[in-house]
């Protein structure tokens, strides 16, 4: 026990305190019963706690050692006289309480008389369990329980909780943190799933922020709760280490070491350091502590696992959510750029020398040689309402230094796309410092629509062979105007007049059944052996700037021997052999117009057309283009294509396309069905011609003209375009099975840590590092050290205390 103040140390107490102490009842007479036999009475001060250590004299281990009785020094105002013959063992109590009492082997009962008042037996009964078996070679043996006399009949005696299954091995269950952990685990999956839904289709930053926030909040809640559970194991292991070192002869710790052990700046490191310390310290070895054989290192390893899991929970939860990204289009903001999209006057001048060769049947000239390595763009079919619009896919327009086919240059030299800063922007763009995947370029491009119909009343309107071996087709005006109006143009646009003196060859006559007043166009073809023949006439040469309107008459002449399954409008003899020739024909009207198209340009692949925004140019679209970023480009760039003054360029592309079709098995042999002709029936194969289909003919001509006419309408003239940079959208999804497994592991670990908190050695009550533990440690003399004996001056600085008392040794015991 601790040393008490000597006489004269209370001189500073006030006179009132002394008087009050003298007026206080001075003694309490009590009788102790041991084994049913009354022992000598002893005296207690009123309000003094009653403590008892239930020794078991029948324990062989206890009988083999001599009891060590430290002297008891009562307060100077007490009338109690200590008898050295009493067989008692005082507990570690407060300094101002220094009485002793005879222990009972199992239970101790007290009856007391205070000023004539008798307390009933149930008012002051302390129950104790089996006394722990202690090695009395040690300096002290703490008690398993502490009781205080009860003076109020209405108060219930407080009993500490115990473990439901192993009360002597483990501490009582601390349910509150475990229930908190269970509740957090239950809501974790719904919270994570809700976070994935909230983070869906957002930018990568916000998706990561939402998922990371949810994972961090849940991880923090789970981690702190797990540490709250695991802290009891660390506290028990820390105090057990202190006790083990104190019980070992010649072993102790300093105040500085005690401070380090009781301050958790780093939970995991505290556990690791204690694990290492126990393996090197002699006092903690199992051979040197016969009173405590439990494997404390396993408990420390369990805490280390808990602390590591607690620190990693946020990371683990974040990995249980998969974040995927994709580049998506956006039309909220744009910047002005320029792209190649029109013909310059120089381009048209370069085209004129090719016109004669293109219109010559002898040469049947085409502009792009097969061995040039410069493939024409692929045709594209896009829908605009009920109409099919054919486009040529963008190619070298989106290449640095490129130009269109209309420039008739095999080497690209023009600088294609420039922004407001004058630098090329389409080939190497960046978003937030990283290479961009792509962007949408919205600008005006040439597109075409086509309508076709069979020549009506073919037996009347088709003359298979005239007197001069020519083939004629008389097209009714109503058929032509019907096609024109189906394209959205008025009938008045058709102003062509039939000039029979020019179209009818000398020696041929017009059949009497033909009403020339109703004829809108007459087609004529020589007997040249070509299975598919065209005769074209411009309806609108594009002087108004809105595009071109072209009339096409197609005549099919095929040997029936090459089309055994074919069906034709009429037949005739063949002058070149005995085979019969089948005839069929169609008339088409084709409109080439400017369209505002969204084209996706990517640095990782070819450009591709996405959708049609409207007809015309950027300036005449009744839509919201979004917010413009940056400054506008310099004036002078057209945002709408115009056909004015560019008819020669159109003719160049048109004749090139027709000659490409004619060259498809055109004159290898007389009137043999070519692959192109068979495709107009919707079939494939050398002899699979069936019957001419208007739908297949429209698609075939539309695709052919889109790849052979439209590219030559783009030369080296830049036009204004709006560029919409891609945005990166992220989506989050949760791995359900892995999440459930992780949460189950966390909950299981929390349950294990809650159930298996070891009790301190020698039956010592649970201790932590709270204020109340320090009260018990220093005020109750559980920790004995020179600093306590010498006393700590009031208002001492912490650094001074470290310097003065840091090296003082601390021992758990008397």
């Amino acid at each position: 026990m601790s040393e008490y103040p000597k006489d004269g140390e209370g001189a500073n107490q006030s006179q009132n305190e002394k008087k009050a102490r003298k007026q206080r009842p001075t003694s309490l007479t009590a009788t102790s019963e041991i084994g049913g036999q009354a022992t000598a009475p002893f005296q207690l001060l009123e309000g003094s706690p009653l403590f008892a250590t239930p020794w078991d004299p029948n324990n062989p281990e206890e009988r083999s050692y001599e009891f060590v009785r430290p002297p008891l020094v009562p307060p100077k105002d007490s009338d109690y006289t200590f008898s050295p013959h009493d067989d008692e063992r005082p507990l570690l109590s407060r300094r101002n309480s220094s009485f002793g009492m005879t222990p009972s082997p199992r239970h101790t009962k007290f009856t007391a008389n205070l000023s004539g008042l008798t307390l009933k037996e149930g008012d002051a009964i302390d129950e104790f369990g089996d006394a722990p078996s202690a090695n009395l070679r040690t300096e002290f043996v703490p008690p398993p329980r502490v009781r205080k006399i009860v003076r109020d009949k209405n108060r219930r005696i407080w009993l500490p909780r115990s473990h439901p299954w192993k009360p002597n091995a483990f501490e009582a269950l601390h349910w509150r943190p475990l229930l908190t952990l269970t509740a957090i685990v239950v809501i974790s999956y719904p919270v994570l799933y809700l976070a994935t839904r909230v983070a869906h289709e957002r930018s990568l930053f916000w998706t990561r922020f939402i998922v990371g926030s949810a994972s961090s909040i849940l991880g923090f809640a789970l981690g702190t709760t797990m540490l709250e559970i695991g802290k009891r194991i660390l506290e028990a292991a820390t105090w057990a280490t202190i006790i083990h070192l104190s019980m070992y002869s010649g072993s102790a710790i300093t105040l500085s070491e005690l401070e380090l052990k009781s301050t958790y700046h780093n939970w995991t490191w505290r556990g690791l350091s204690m694990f290492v310390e126990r393996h090197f310290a002699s006092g903690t070895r199992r051979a040197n502590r016969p009173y405590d054989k439990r494997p404390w290192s396993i408990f420390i390893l369990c805490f280390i696992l808990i602390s590591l899991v607690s620190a990693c929970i946020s990371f683990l939860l974040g990995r249980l959510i998969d974040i995927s990204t994709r580049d998506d289009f956006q039309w909220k903001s744009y910047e002005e750029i320029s792209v190649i999209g029109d013909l310059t006057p120089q381009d048209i001048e370069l085209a004129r020398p090719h016109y004669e060769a293109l219109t010559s049947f002898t040469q049947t000239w085409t502009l792009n040689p097969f061995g040039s390595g410069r493939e024409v763009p692929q045709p594209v079919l896009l829908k605009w309402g009920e109409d099919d619009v054919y486009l040529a896919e963008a190619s070298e327009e989106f290449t640095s230094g490129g130009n269109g086919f209309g420039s008739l240059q095999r080497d690209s030299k023009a600088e294609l796309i420039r922004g407001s800063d004058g630098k090329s922007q389409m080939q190497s763009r960046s978003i937030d410092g990283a290479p961009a995947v792509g962007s949408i370029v919205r600008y005006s491009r040439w597109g075409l629509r086509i309508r076709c119909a069979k020549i009506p009343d073919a037996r009347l309107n088709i003359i298979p062979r005239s007197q001069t071996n020519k083939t004629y087709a008389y097209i009714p005006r109503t058929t032509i105007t019907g096609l024109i109006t189906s394209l959205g143009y008025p009938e008045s646009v058709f102003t062509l007049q039939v000039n029979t003196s020019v179209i009818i060859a000398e020696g041929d006559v017009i059949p009497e059944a033909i009403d020339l007043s109703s004829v809108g166009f007459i087609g004529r073809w020589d007997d040249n052996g070509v299975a598919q023949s065209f005769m074209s006439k411009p309806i609108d040469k594009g002087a108004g700037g809105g595009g071109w309107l072209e009339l096409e008459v197609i005549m099919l002449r095929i040997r029936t021997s090459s089309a055994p399954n074919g069906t034709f409008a009429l037949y005739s003899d063949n002058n070149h052999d005995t085979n019969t020739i089948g005839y069929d024909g169609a008339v088409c009207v084709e409109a080439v117009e400017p369209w505002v198209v969204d084209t996706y340009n990517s640095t990782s692949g070819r450009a591709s057309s996405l959708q049609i925004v409207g007809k015309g140019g950027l300036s005449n679209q009744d839509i919201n283009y979004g917010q413009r970023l940056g400054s506008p480009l310099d004036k002078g760039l057209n945002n709408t294509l115009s056909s004015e003054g560019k008819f020669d360029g159109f003719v160049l592309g048109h004749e090139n396309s027709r000659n490409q079709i004619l060259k498809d098995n055109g004159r290898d042999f007389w009137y043999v069905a070519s692959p192109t002709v068979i495709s107009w029936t919707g079939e494939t194969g050398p002899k699979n011609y069936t019957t001419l289909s208007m739908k297949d003919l429209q698609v075939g001509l539309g695709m052919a003209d889109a790849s052979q006419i439209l590219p030559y309408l783009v030369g080296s003239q830049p036009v204004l375009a709006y560029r919409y940079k891609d945005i990166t959208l992220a989506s989050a999804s949760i791995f359900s099975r892995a999440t459930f497994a992780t949460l189950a592991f966390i909950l299981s670990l929390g349950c294990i840590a809650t159930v298996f908190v070891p009790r301190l050695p020698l039956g010592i009550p649970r201790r932590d590092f709270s204020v109340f533990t320090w009260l018990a440690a220093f005020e109750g003399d559980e920790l004995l050290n020179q600093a306590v004996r010498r006393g700590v001056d009031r208002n001492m600085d912490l650094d001074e205390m470290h310097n003065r008392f840091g090296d003082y040794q601390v021992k758990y015991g008397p």
Side-chain angles (χ1 to χ4, degrees):
M1 297 294 292
S2 61
E3 298 178 1
Y4 288 91
K6 299 180 181 179
D7 294 339
E9 292 184 0
N12 294 330
Q13 293 178 338
S14 65
Q15 295 296 328
N16 293 333
E17 291 177 342
K18 293 182 178 179
K19 293 179 180 180
R21 184 167 58 247
K22 293 180 179 180
Q23 294 174 359
R24 184 187 309 157
T26 57
S27 65
L28 170 66
T29 303
T31 302
S32 176
E33 296 179 1
I34 304 178
Q37 298 180 359
T39 61
F42 59 89
Q43 293 179 335
L44 304 174
L45 293 177
E46 179 193 4
S48 298
L50 303 183
F51 300 92
T53 303
W55 304 109
D56 188 355
N58 297 322
N59 191 321
E61 184 179 6
E62 295 180 0
R63 291 201 306 268
S64 60
Y65 300 104
E66 180 182 0
F67 285 86
V68 180
R69 301 180 178 86
L72 300 176
V73 182
K76 64 181 181 178
D77 60 348
S78 173
D79 296 332
Y80 171 71
T81 302
F82 171 70
S83 175
H85 302 289
D86 291 337
D87 185 14
E88 92 293 339
R89 177 72 171 174
L91 305 184
L92 299 179
S93 61
R94 298 179 348 195
R95 299 179 185 179
N96 59 0
S97 176
S98 55
F99 65 90
M101 58 182 295
T102 303
S104 171
R106 290 289 177 254
H107 303 286
T108 302
K109 293 184 178 181
F110 303 100
T111 58
N113 292 321
L114 178 62
S115 302
L117 176 63
T118 301
L119 299 180
K120 295 182 180 180
E121 180 178 341
D123 291 336
I125 297 179
D126 283 352
E127 299 278 350
F128 296 93
D130 294 345
S133 176
N135 187 343
L136 297 183
R137 286 175 296 181
T138 58
E139 296 183 1
F140 78 104
V141 180
R145 296 288 184 269
V146 177
R147 294 293 181 270
K148 184 177 181 180
I149 187 169
V150 179
R151 296 180 176 83
D152 189 352
K153 297 181 179 180
N154 296 325
R155 288 181 58 188
R156 299 181 60 185
I157 298 177
W158 180 84
L159 295 175
R161 295 182 297 110
S162 61
H163 195 277
W165 306 297
K166 295 287 184 179
N168 294 329
F170 301 104
E171 293 286 352
L173 301 183
H174 192 39
W175 290 106
R176 182 174 297 176
L178 182 59
L179 294 177
T180 303
L181 178 66
T182 304
I184 298 174
V185 167
V186 169
I187 67 172
S188 292
Y189 184 85
V191 170
L192 291 176
Y193 181 80
L194 180 61
T196 59
R197 295 297 89 197
V198 174
H200 185 66
E201 294 296 318
R202 295 183 182 272
S203 65
L204 183 60
F205 169 81
W206 285 111
T207 299
R208 286 176 174 172
F209 178 82
I210 294 171
V211 172
S213 298
S215 301
S216 299
I217 293 173
L218 289 176
F220 176 79
L222 290 172
T224 53
T225 308
M226 287 285 292
L227 288 177
E228 181 69 21
I229 294 174
K231 181 180 69 172
R232 294 168 65 89
I233 297 178
L234 181 62
E235 292 168 346
T238 303
W239 281 108
T241 302
I242 296 174
I243 293 172
H244 293 160
L245 295 175
S246 300
M247 300 291 284
Y248 187 70
S249 178
S251 177
I253 62 174
T254 64
L255 277 177
S256 297
E257 293 173 342
L258 177 62
E259 181 190 25
L260 180 64
K261 294 179 185 298
S262 60
T263 305
Y264 304 140
H265 296 297
N266 189 306
W267 294 83
T268 305
W269 178 249
R270 181 65 256 153
L272 289 172
S273 62
M274 187 180 301
F275 180 81
V276 174
E277 178 185 2
R278 291 189 63 87
H279 279 72
F280 288 98
S282 299
T284 58
R285 295 175 182 174
R286 195 171 300 181
N288 296 330
R289 47 182 176 93
Y291 55 90
D292 186 11
K293 298 295 185 180
R294 286 173 294 178
W296 285 94
S297 295
I298 295 179
F299 293 113
I300 296 175
L301 290 176
C302 180
F303 167 76
I304 293 174
L305 175 62
I306 292 174
S307 63
L308 290 176
V309 172
S310 301
C312 298
I313 290 178
S314 296
F315 174 80
L316 292 175
L317 294 180
R319 303 290 73 75
L320 294 175
I321 297 178
D322 178 51
I323 297 178
S324 59
T325 61
R326 65 180 180 86
D327 292 322
D328 200 2
F329 310 138
Q330 62 87 19
W331 288 273
K332 294 182 179 180
S333 61
Y334 69 92
E335 58 181 343
E336 293 186 358
I337 60 174
S338 62
V339 298
I340 300 300
D342 205 354
L343 295 171
T344 63
Q346 292 77 13
D347 297 331
I348 297 175
E349 287 297 326
L350 291 175
R352 289 194 173 99
H354 297 266
Y355 182 76
E356 182 178 353
L358 287 166
T359 55
S360 170
F361 181 78
T362 303
Q363 291 180 287
T364 315
W365 186 258
T366 53
L367 296 173
N368 190 38
F370 288 110
S372 66
R374 190 184 187 190
E375 298 180 358
V376 293
Q378 294 293 321
V380 178
L381 173 61
L382 297 179
K383 281 286 188 180
W384 176 249
E386 298 297 328
D387 292 336
D388 293 335
V389 180
Y390 298 89
L391 302 164
E393 193 59 274
S395 58
E396 295 187 13
E397 298 94 318
F398 295 144
T399 304
S400 179
N403 50 32
F405 280 76
S407 65
L408 300 180
Q409 297 179 13
R410 296 183 59 181
D411 297 327
S412 300
K413 297 180 181 179
E415 191 71 26
L416 267 191
I417 299 174
R418 294 181 178 275
S420 57
D421 56 358
K423 297 181 180 180
S424 178
Q425 298 181 0
M426 293 301 295
Q427 185 181 15
S428 178
R429 305 180 316 279
S430 62
I431 299 176
D432 298 333
V437 175
S439 59
I440 293 176
V441 182
R442 177 174 289 179
Y443 68 110
S444 186
R445 293 167 54 184
W446 292 109
L448 64 88
R449 296 180 295 155
I450 188 171
R451 294 286 190 275
C452 296
K454 277 194 172 184
I455 298 176
D457 198 0
R459 292 185 177 275
L460 174 63
N461 293 321
I462 295 178
I463 309 298
R465 190 178 302 278
S466 67
Q467 296 295 326
T468 59
N469 291 328
K470 298 185 184 302
T471 302
Y472 291 93
Y474 295 88
I475 311 301
R477 180 178 293 271
T478 55
T479 303
I480 299 173
T481 56
L483 295 174
I484 292 175
T485 55
S486 67
L487 291 172
Y489 290 89
E491 294 183 4
S492 59
V493 73
F494 184 68
T495 59
L496 296 179
Q497 300 295 324
V498 177
N499 189 348
T500 57
S501 61
V502 176
I503 195 66
I504 302 298
E506 186 177 354
D508 291 335
V509 295
I510 300 174
E512 294 181 357
I514 299 295
D515 183 8
L516 287 178
S517 62
S518 62
V519 174
F521 185 76
I522 301 175
R524 187 188 74 180
W525 298 273
D526 295 331
D527 185 16
N528 52 20
V530 180
Q532 65 274 7
S533 301
F534 297 88
M535 192 166 186
S536 306
K537 192 71 173 180
I539 300 175
D540 186 351
K541 294 184 179 182
W548 302 273
L549 206 58
E550 188 78 6
L551 176 65
E552 304 281 352
V553 179
I554 301 97
M555 177 59 62
L556 299 184
R557 294 173 289 184
I558 301 173
R559 298 162 60 96
T560 55
S561 61
S562 66
N565 300 320
T567 301
F568 300 93
L570 68 160
Y571 300 86
S572 73
D573 296 334
N574 185 3
N575 291 335
H576 308 283
D577 53 39
T578 58
N579 284 280
T580 304
I581 304 298
Y583 292 83
D584 212 338
V587 56
C588 300
V589 175
E590 186 176 74
V592 178
E593 307 152 311
W595 298 86
V596 177
V597 182
D598 284 339
T599 305
Y600 184 70
N601 180 56
S602 173
T603 57
S604 59
R606 294 185 175 182
S608 59
S609 301
L610 298 179
Q611 64 180 0
I612 294 176
V613 178
K615 187 178 179 180
L618 294 174
S619 59
N620 56 11
Q621 302 299 316
D622 188 17
I623 60 174
N624 181 15
Y625 289 113
Q627 180 183 3
R628 187 185 65 198
L629 303 177
S631 59
L633 292 182
D634 296 335
K635 302 294 184 179
L637 289 178
N638 294 325
N639 58 24
T640 303
L641 296 177
S642 175
S643 60
E644 183 180 1
K646 301 171 185 175
F647 180 69
D648 289 343
F650 170 76
V651 172
L652 183 78
H654 179 271
E655 296 303 315
N656 174 72
S657 177
R658 294 298 168 262
N659 290 342
Q660 291 282 3
I661 297 175
L662 292 176
K663 283 184 175 181
D664 185 13
N665 289 352
R667 292 169 289 182
D668 295 338
F669 196 71
W670 293 92
Y671 303 120
V672 177
S674 67
T676 300
V677 171
I678 294 176
S679 69
W680 292 345
T681 67
E683 302 292 339
T684 59
K687 294 186 177 183
N688 289 336
Y689 180 92
T690 55
T691 186
L692 183 60
S693 169
M694 294 300 100
K695 178 181 177 181
D696 295 315
L697 177 61
Q698 286 181 182
V699 173
L701 289 179
M703 290 292 188
D705 290 348
S707 61
Q708 299 296 334
I709 296 179
L710 300 184
Y712 293 96
L713 298 179
V714 179
S716 57
Q717 175 64 46
V719 297
L720 182 66
Y722 297 157
R723 184 179 69 178
Y724 298 83
K725 292 183 178 180
D726 285 350
I727 58 173
T728 300
L729 295 180
S731 298
S733 60
I734 188 171
F735 298 113
S736 299
R737 292 185 179 179
T739 303
F740 284 126
T742 302
L743 295 176
F745 171 75
I746 293 173
L747 183 59
S748 301
L749 191 60
C751 292
I752 293 173
T754 301
V755 174
F756 300 105
V757 178
R759 288 197 63 184
L760 296 180
L762 305 175
I764 297 175
R766 190 181 77 86
R767 291 290 181 260
D768 54 18
F769 293 103
S770 64
V771 173
F772 299 101
T773 294
W774 296 124
L775 287 175
F778 290 107
E779 292 296 324
D781 282 346
E782 290 186 7
L783 287 178
L784 301 181
N785 58 82
Q786 299 175 8
V788 175
R789 289 192 175 97
R790 294 188 178 187
V792 178
D793 296 338
R794 189 175 184 180
N795 296 328
M796 287 187 66
D797 188 83
L798 285 177
D799 293 335
E800 181 183 1
M801 295 175 67
H802 275 281
N803 294 331
R804 290 183 58 182
F805 307 127
D807 295 332
Y808 288 167
Q809 290 187 340
V810 175
K811 198 171 186 180
Y812 194 99

